[in-house]
Amino acid sequence: MNPPAVIQLDHVYAHPPSAVWKALTDPALHAKWWAAGDVRPVVGHRFTLDMGAWGQQPCEVVAVEPEKLLQYRFATGTLDTTLTWRLAPEGTGTRLTLVHEGFNLDSPMGRRAFEGMKPGWPGVLARLGTALGA
């Protein structure tokens, strides 16, 4: 039995944490760089992300520290992973750390998701930078 797999990435943006936070938590901005959905920084808030060919993915916010941390369960009931976004000031910009964890590599779906998302996340983070006006 394999331990759950984790994807972790860091990206530095030339924008303050408030701007990066807005891109993570404003539904209109979020749709520009990743997926449409009613994401809100409120613990317990349930929302769905439209992942196109991968369908509608239910999510639930589990932790919030404004401009520092947003954590939510992703694809609840199927993939059952957790996304954690940590923001830290770095110079005049922001270091964003993404941790996507809980991939069950013993499940064919979990393994496919991990193998697809691991190389896909860097492009998503680059699009976030474009949405910020990197």
Side-chain angles (χ1 to χ4, degrees), residues 22-33 35-41:
K22 187 172 181 182
L24 292 173
T25 60
D26 179 281
L29 286 174
H30 196 274
K32 289 181 180 181
W33 63 270
D38 186 29
V39 60
R40 293 184 200 172

Side-chain angles (χ1 to χ4, degrees), residues 1-5 103-106 111:
M1 182 171 206
N2 291 303
F103 292 93
N104 178 359
L105 298 182
D106 294 323
R111 181 168 293 283

Side-chain angles (χ1 to χ4, degrees), residues 7 9 11 13 98 116-128:
I7 299 167
L9 297 167
H11 197 95
Y13 299 98
L98 164 66
M117 291 180 180
K118 187 170 185 175
W121 272 119
V124 173
L125 295 183
R127 288 195 307 273
L128 192 159

Side-chain angles (χ1 to χ4, degrees), residues 50-101:
D50 181 353
M51 303 303 298
W54 295 280
Q56 303 287 319
Q57 300 301 325
C59 302
E60 182 179 358
V61 178
V62 295
V64 174
E65 291 179 44
E67 299 186 9
K68 293 181 182 178
L69 171 82
L70 177 65
Q71 182 179 64
Y72 50 87
R73 293 196 307 242
F74 176 78
T76 57
T78 54
L79 194 57
D80 287 321
T81 58
T82 301
L83 288 168
T84 304
W85 307 88
R86 292 187 187 278
L87 295 78
E90 185 157 309
T92 58
T94 303
R95 175 174 295 276
L96 177 66
T97 301
L98 164 66
V99 178
H100 192 170
E101 59 191 321

Side-chain angles (χ1 to χ4, degrees), residues 8-25:
Q8 182 169 333
L9 297 167
D10 285 306
H11 197 95
V12 177
Y13 299 98
H15 300 274
S18 60
V20 178
W21 180 255
K22 187 172 181 182
L24 292 173
T25 60

